[in-house]
Amino acid sequence: MIPMSYAQRRLWFQWRVEGPSGTYNSPTIVRLAGRLDPAALAAALRDVIGRHEALRTVFPATGGEPAQRVIDPDELAWALTRVRVAPADDAPPVPLVAFAELPWDRPTPELPAVVPAADLPGAEITAAELPAAVARVAAYAFDLATEIPIRAWLFTVRPDEHVLVVVVHHIATDGWSGEPFARDLAAAYTARSRGRAPEWTPLPVQYADYALWQRDLLGAGDDPDSRLSTQLAWWREALAGAPEELPLPTDRPRPVEPSYRGHSRGLSLPADVHRRLAALARRRRATLPMLYQAAMAVTLSRLGAGTDLPIGTPVAGRADEALNDLVGFFVNTLVVRADLTGDPTFAEVLDRVRGAAVRALAHQDVPFDRLVEEFAPARVLGRHPLFQVVVAPLDAGATLDLDGVRADALTIGRPTARFDLEATLGETYDGRGRAAGIRGVVTAAADLFDPATVARLTACLGRVLIAMAADPDARISAADLLDPAEREQVLVGWNDTATPVADVSVVEAFAARVAADPDGIAVVSGEVSLSYAELDARAERLAGRLVAAGVGPESPVAVVLERSAELLVALLAVLKAGGAYLPLDTAWPLARMRAVAADAGARVVLVHEATAGHEFVTGADGLTLLHFDESEPVVAPGHAPDLPTVSPSSVAYLMYTSGSTGVPKGVVTTHRDVVRLAQDRCWGVTPRVLFHAPHAFDAS
């Protein structure tokens, strides 16, 4: 039994926690056109599995401690699963759009999850079931303790057309393993199709050698002079105080259990942007992957994720040339902490990210799961520890060159999301080796994001990259993340709040309400209940008294009443008399009450029994006091008081500020303003308003 590598232990632990699933599968799907020899292909796959020990390793556990057990090739019970797609002879070629690599500007479609069993030799499915069958086998759930981490299916559509699906669990492969796997498979197929075994140079090492070498290199964690201890000390300082979770612009809270389903969106930038970004990276002595990380940090920061952004980035982990031709899981993940404080320029962000990345690369030997153990962040199922966003180079994919057969790579339409957000970006070149553009894909967890949000995030990342290329010296705050339609919505659509409002005064609007529903309840205060007709009559009688006391158009009337039904009668009466009410709160300091009344020029003070003894009222020299008393008629019975006509532009009331920034200032509000506010906020099917605030507070 051989110890596992640190990377393998991390995936094994994930497998034990979640159970068998396809979350960490690495499927390779190719359409094979031409005269394929299925027997030679099956033998070639066995040859490759025999050549690379990682592909024939199981991971049993003894006492809860896992280890590697390499299966001898002669004891290997493995076969290529053959599936016939009916009808085979006259079926048209499999359309790439069925489960192909879709154009980068289109979202990936969903595919069914379950089809009839297709894992037995000689099984048969229909052509319509093929895409779903491919999706199903690509999500094959390995039992890592008992079966080797590779399976393969060959779907025969017709004699000269097949679909090959090879699924390897991530515990035995990584993105850099694709090229040696494809190269060895092609060499073995050529030999087997010609009736002989492949002849290749023996590999200098196997994955088990690497696992043992890694432990020797790092040393013991309790040895302060070991490489593991010294590099861990650097990481403790580098990640001190980093946020455990970024506040991403998600559409919903994180679920208790993750589904690992994802939504993907393609990103494509033209050749001229590619050239400018490459030139910028060279000038700042950075790589394009570092530039991509800087752009992602700027994008998320502008969307509200803050200025301290830990972002994950993968590294090959193949520090020795002897590992280059080996299939296995060597990749490690580093945490690059992007500092965006102080509104830096794009170039300055790139410099900061470059510095952080270079220092992280110098300490890349510490396995990521060892970092997690060291920092012991609060573990939340479905939230990746230390970082939730990854920026990775786009794997160009290995070319499978089978003798006499054309191989076209395909992808399935249901992406897996291992992180909240992942962007994979890479360069493309034309036939002459010139920059032809940057392409990539952004994948986000469907548990957190809707497809439309993923599309917007992808578009924002693209705009930031374009802005970096156009003006590296611009501040990141100047980056425009809105497209023309979004800008129109923000500046015009959301600000289009104009509504048709009747150009009438409060008095006219209230009169219309009285005429429409005279018996409807207008005011309820404790045991007091007034209909609209009763409120109108009482306010009109008091308005007559106000006019008789000298209140005229826009005359300020100080209202010193407690909150009650009488208060509403009084306010409406002031408006009917043509005056402007000035509410005074008896809880105010006396000096404030006097200063406000004097500044407004109020000559009439309206009080009632509860406030008649207030010091402001008793000391109101030179002011006309009018006591609220509905029993005193001012005109002969049957005659309405002579009230003025009130214009919509007339002042309705004066409201004074708190004075917290200086002397209290009076704000003048017209009848037209009140009617507009009432229509927007109060009028409706059930136009009820709770009079809960002090009446001298502007929100009332």
Side-chain angles (χ1 to χ4, degrees):
M1 302 290 278
I2 306 166
M4 300 172 70
S5 72
Y6 286 102
Q8 285 179 323
R9 282 183 64 89
R10 172 157 49 96
L11 286 188
W12 181 88
F13 177 78
Q14 197 84 9
W15 170 74
R16 285 296 297 267
V17 170
E18 298 176 4
S21 72
T23 301
Y24 285 92
N25 284 359
S26 295
T28 298
I29 308 168
V30 290
R31 182 175 66 175
L32 304 175
R35 290 294 174 178
L36 178 73
D37 184 342
L41 178 62
L45 283 166
R46 286 185 61 92
D47 291 332
V48 174
I49 295 171
R51 177 171 170 78
H52 296 276
E53 288 184 357
L55 297 176
R56 48 186 172 89
T57 299
V58 294
F59 304 91
T62 303
E65 186 63 25
Q68 300 185 65
R69 185 168 72 86
V70 181
I71 306 297
D72 187 278
D74 295 333
E75 300 175 4
L76 191 63
W78 187 93
L80 172 66
T81 300
R82 300 283 302 278
V83 181
R84 182 173 180 268
V85 181
D89 296 333
D90 56 354
V94 175
L96 287 178
V97 73
F99 46 96
E101 180 179 8
L102 294 168
W104 291 97
D105 60 347
R106 287 176 53 192
T108 306
E110 294 288 336
L111 292 177
V114 179
V115 296
D119 54 0
L120 299 175
E124 181 174 289
I125 62 173
T126 67
E129 293 172 323
L130 178 58
V134 170
R136 179 191 178 205
V137 299
Y140 179 80
F142 288 95
D143 182 352
L144 298 179
T146 61
E147 63 179 319
I148 65 172
I150 180 172
R151 290 289 302 266
W153 292 261
L154 183 67
F155 296 88
T156 300
V157 180
R158 56 185 184 180
D160 60 350
E161 185 178 9
H162 303 75
V163 174
L164 173 66
V165 183
V166 179
V167 181
V168 185
H169 193 280
H170 201 6
I171 204 168
T173 189
D174 56 24
W176 284 267
S177 297
E179 186 172 340
F181 182 92
R183 184 174 60 245
D184 288 349
L185 180 59
Y189 177 78
T190 298
R192 291 298 181 180
S193 62
R194 296 174 183 176
R196 54 182 173 81
E199 298 177 2
W200 40 38
T201 303
L203 293 169
V205 294
Q206 287 288 349
Y207 191 85
D209 301 314
Y210 161 76
L212 296 171
W213 168 80
Q214 183 188 45
R215 293 177 179 273
D216 290 340
L217 173 71
L218 291 175
D222 56 3
D223 178 2
D225 297 324
S226 69
R227 180 176 294 202
L228 178 62
S229 295
T230 55
Q231 291 198 9
L232 273 175
W234 181 87
W235 280 108
R236 278 193 290 270
E237 182 178 351
L239 297 182
E244 287 193 354
E245 180 173 346
L246 288 180
L248 301 176
T250 58
D251 294 304
R252 62 191 65 87
R254 190 181 305 277
V256 175
E257 293 188 8
S259 70
Y260 295 106
R261 293 185 304 107
H263 298 303
S264 291
R265 189 75 179 189
L267 174 65
S268 181
L269 299 176
D272 61 325
V273 174
H274 180 184
R275 288 191 294 269
R276 290 199 295 270
L277 290 176
L280 171 61
R282 286 193 299 271
R283 289 197 304 273
R284 313 307 293 198
R285 296 183 302 142
T287 64
L288 271 175
M290 294 175 185
L291 186 147
Y292 302 149
Q293 293 170 40
M296 176 60 81
V298 171
T299 302
L300 296 180
S301 180
R302 292 296 312 281
L303 293 173
T307 56
D308 184 358
L309 296 100
I311 295 177
T313 183
V315 290
R318 299 175 186 245
D320 193 297
E321 289 186 2
L323 305 177
N324 289 346
D325 293 331
L326 206 58
V327 173
F329 184 26
F330 300 93
V331 69
N332 194 18
T333 307
L334 305 183
V335 186
V336 178
R337 194 171 176 182
D339 174 15
L340 275 70
T341 57
D343 192 20
T345 65
F346 291 119
E348 289 169 344
V349 174
L350 178 54
D351 290 344
R352 295 179 188 182
V353 169
R354 175 192 174 277
V358 168
R359 292 187 292 272
L361 287 168
H363 300 83
Q364 65 173 291
D365 298 320
V366 177
F368 177 76
D369 64 317
R370 187 66 181 81
L371 272 185
V372 175
E373 292 177 14
E374 178 68 21
F375 285 92
R379 300 305 295 267
V380 176
L381 192 62
R383 185 187 73 187
H384 198 274
L386 302 186
F387 63 85
Q388 295 81 47
V389 177
V390 170
V391 177
L394 181 65
D395 184 9
T399 301
L400 183 58
D401 186 14
L402 299 182
D403 189 23
V405 179
R406 175 183 171 182
D408 295 315
L410 307 176
T411 62
I412 58 174
R414 179 176 295 156
T416 298
R418 303 187 184 111
F419 311 97
D420 291 359
L421 191 64
E422 181 178 11
T424 55
L425 299 168
E427 301 175 82
T428 61
Y429 298 92
D430 62 17
R432 299 173 62 181
R434 296 173 302 188
I438 292 174
R439 71 168 188 169
V441 63
V442 174
T443 301
D447 293 336
L448 304 175
F449 298 94
D450 292 330
T453 304
V454 181
R456 181 169 182 265
L457 288 170
T458 305
C460 289
L461 176 59
R463 293 187 193 103
V464 168
L465 285 165
I466 292 172
M468 291 179 72
D471 187 1
D473 295 323
R475 299 284 173 187
I476 64 173
S477 59
D480 189 355
L481 302 188
L482 302 178
D483 65 21
E486 290 172 332
R487 176 172 291 279
E488 176 75 11
Q489 178 67 29
V490 171
L491 298 181
V492 179
W494 287 342
N495 284 311
D496 185 12
T497 58
T499 56
V501 179
D503 194 26
V504 296
S505 67
V506 175
V507 175
E508 292 173 298
F510 183 74
R513 181 65 175 171
V514 173
D517 189 15
D519 297 324
I521 299 301
V523 182
V524 175
S525 178
E527 299 299 324
V528 178
S529 178
L530 301 178
S531 68
Y532 282 101
E534 290 171 332
L535 175 60
D536 184 54
R538 295 189 184 191
E540 200 154 281
R541 287 199 301 272
L542 182 56
R545 294 182 59 208
L546 288 168
V547 170
V551 174
E554 300 188 349
S555 298
V557 177
V559 178
V560 188
L561 277 74
E562 299 291 350
R563 189 165 54 224
S564 61
E566 291 177 341
L567 173 63
L568 297 183
V569 173
L571 299 182
L572 185 57
V574 173
L575 299 181
K576 283 177 170 286
Y581 65 81
L582 173 69
L584 300 180
D585 191 340
T586 55
W588 285 354
L590 180 61
R592 175 182 170 88
M593 296 179 69
R594 288 174 174 171
V596 167
D599 185 73
R603 307 308 306 163
V604 176
V605 180
L606 187 58
V607 300
H608 65 175
E609 182 179 358
T611 59
H614 192 277
E615 189 176 359
F616 172 80
V617 177
T618 59
D621 295 334
L623 300 179
T624 300
L625 295 179
L626 190 65
H627 288 261
F628 192 100
D629 184 0
E630 296 183 299
S631 64
E632 180 184 347
V634 295
V635 294
H639 291 78
D642 187 13
L643 300 179
T645 300
V646 181
S647 167
S649 60
S650 297
V651 178
Y653 64 83
L654 294 89
M655 192 72 67
Y656 274 73
T657 64
S658 65
S660 59
T661 58
V663 177
K665 306 167 188 67
V667 178
V668 174
T669 304
T670 68
H671 282 252
R672 182 180 290 114
D673 297 330
V674 177
V675 171
R676 179 178 292 112
L677 178 64
Q679 177 170 311
D680 290 343
R681 302 289 181 87
C682 305
W683 295 354
V685 178
T686 308
R688 284 184 207 150
V689 176
L690 178 65
F691 200 162
H692 66 283
H695 58 281
F697 175 52
D698 56 1
S700 67

